[in-house]
Amino acid sequence: MIDIGEIEAFLAVADELHFGKAGERLRLSPSRISQLIRRLESRVGTPLVERTTRRVALTPVGDRLRQDFLQIYADLNSALRRARSAGQEVESTVRVGYLTHCGDERFGRLVAEFRTAFPNYEVTTLDVTGLDYLQALSDDDVDVLLGRFGDGLPGDVVQGPVMSREHWVLGVARTHPLAEHDVVSVEELATHAIFGVPDPLTGRLHNPLYPETTPTGLPIPRRGVARTFAEVLRLVAQQDNVFPTVASFPTYYGHPDVVFVPMHGWPPAARTLIWRAHGNNPGVRAFIGLATDPRSKAS
């Protein structure tokens, strides 16, 4: 098998056409360069370099071998780049899901800081707006999820830091009696139902994003089923129910027959990050580490 040192010595001599300069380039003595060239010529079985006291030149066979060696080197470098790129693609992407009205300033700063701190990782943000957005995490469509989550998250899900807090508003039909109020109490929910989600086992309507009762203990009824925010607003416009949501929601979603009235009585709504407890790639772990680092600019 040809020694890599012989190839390097030959290519250096072919470039410099001088044994002394080739030796300086490889940090070898001219005699060592000459020895390596002779060994390579012995393997090939014919002279590769013409040596005289006045000049050094490649023979026709030597010139052809030089071209072949250069092509081999180029192919090897390309193979290494492809392997390096493939290895990075496997572990470099971080998919962060969010709701349209949850992409606040702190979240934006976190994504920007991550891109600066970890340029070898790619982060993509995906709008997963919908009432079943938690499913995006369990289905492995995203690695990290930003949103408002109630109690009872799955045991394999970790809830991270609070990214922002917002005051509440109540969506009501434009013709609803509460639409005339400057502010409403959360206690009004005891007499005006909110939409629900059917329990897969019992069929009973529930909504894990909201408490079962008002602060004074009155039950909050559930009525009507909605799968999207558009369906929620349609139910509200029909006066089938009302819709407690965060103050930024009307900036992104609306209905001509729905208005939003400030609501008091609940603590501000908190938006947090969640992620799977296990199986995260290095990029995801780096994103989580930055999100939970108190020194982060996004903190």
Side-chain angles (χ1 to χ4, degrees):
M1 177 177 289
I2 296 177
D3 189 304
I4 189 67
E6 296 172 6
I7 298 176
E8 291 177 341
F10 173 72
L11 289 177
V13 170
D15 284 345
E16 303 290 348
L17 296 179
H18 192 284
F19 280 75
K21 292 181 179 179
E24 291 176 2
R25 179 164 149 183
L26 299 180
R27 297 184 179 181
L28 298 174
S29 66
S31 60
R32 177 57 177 164
I33 294 292
S34 180
Q35 180 185 27
L36 290 170
I37 295 297
R38 284 197 300 270
R39 279 172 38 183
L40 180 59
E41 290 175 326
S42 175
R43 295 177 190 279
V44 175
T46 189
L48 303 174
V49 179
E50 293 179 346
R51 311 165 182 82
T52 69
T53 56
R54 301 181 60 182
R55 61 189 292 269
V56 174
L58 297 180
T59 66
V61 174
D63 186 58
R64 178 60 189 176
L65 187 62
R66 171 182 175 275
Q67 296 177 42
D68 289 342
F69 278 163
L70 290 174
Q71 183 60 54
I72 290 170
Y73 260 59
D75 291 343
L76 285 173
N77 286 328
S78 296
L80 287 172
R81 284 194 299 270
R82 287 193 298 270
R84 188 180 300 113
S85 176
Q88 290 175 345
E89 288 173 1
V90 171
E91 298 182 341
S92 67
T93 301
V94 184
R95 302 161 300 169
V96 184
Y98 68 99
L99 302 189
T100 299
H101 60 290
C102 288
D104 51 53
E105 182 180 351
R106 185 181 174 192
F107 172 63
R109 288 201 308 269
L110 174 61
V111 172
E113 185 178 357
F114 179 80
R115 285 175 172 151
T116 300
F118 299 94
N120 292 331
Y121 293 131
E122 178 183 0
V123 59
T124 59
T125 54
L126 308 171
D127 191 324
V128 294
T129 300
L131 299 181
D132 59 349
Y133 54 87
L134 187 60
Q135 196 68 31
L137 186 66
S138 59
D139 287 348
D140 196 27
D141 294 326
V142 297
D143 303 302
V144 181
L145 187 60
L146 171 71
R148 184 168 62 85
F149 310 101
D151 297 330
L153 286 172
D156 61 344
V157 171
V158 177
Q159 188 155 24
V162 173
M163 299 301 294
S164 64
R165 301 181 191 273
E166 279 198 86
H167 295 297
W168 291 91
V169 294
L170 186 66
V172 297
R174 193 174 295 277
T175 55
H176 195 285
L178 293 178
E180 301 298 323
H181 291 224
D182 292 329
V183 62
V184 298
S185 168
V186 69
E187 295 296 330
E188 296 283 358
L189 296 181
T191 54
H192 303 286
I194 65 176
F195 75 93
V197 179
D199 185 284
L201 297 178
T202 66
R204 175 178 171 271
L205 288 182
H206 70 113
N207 195 320
L209 294 180
Y210 304 101
E212 292 288 333
T213 65
T214 68
T216 62
L218 298 175
I220 301 175
R222 268 64 167 165
R223 182 176 64 239
V225 177
R227 296 166 299 173
T228 66
F229 289 134
E231 291 181 354
V232 172
L233 294 176
R234 179 177 56 80
L235 292 174
V236 173
Q238 296 170 178
Q239 293 200 33
D240 288 340
N241 60 27
V242 295
F243 177 40
T245 186
V246 293
S248 64
F249 182 89
T251 304
Y252 299 93
Y253 300 98
H255 188 288
D257 296 323
V258 174
V259 296
F260 294 88
V261 182
M263 185 177 72
H264 69 82
W266 273 341
R271 286 200 285 267
T272 60
L273 290 172
I274 63 173
W275 54 82
R276 289 180 294 274
H278 307 288
N280 295 311
N281 68 45
V284 176
R285 294 197 294 271
F287 188 89
I288 293 169
L290 185 62
T292 55
D293 187 345
R295 298 168 297 177
S296 169
K297 296 176 183 177
S299 297

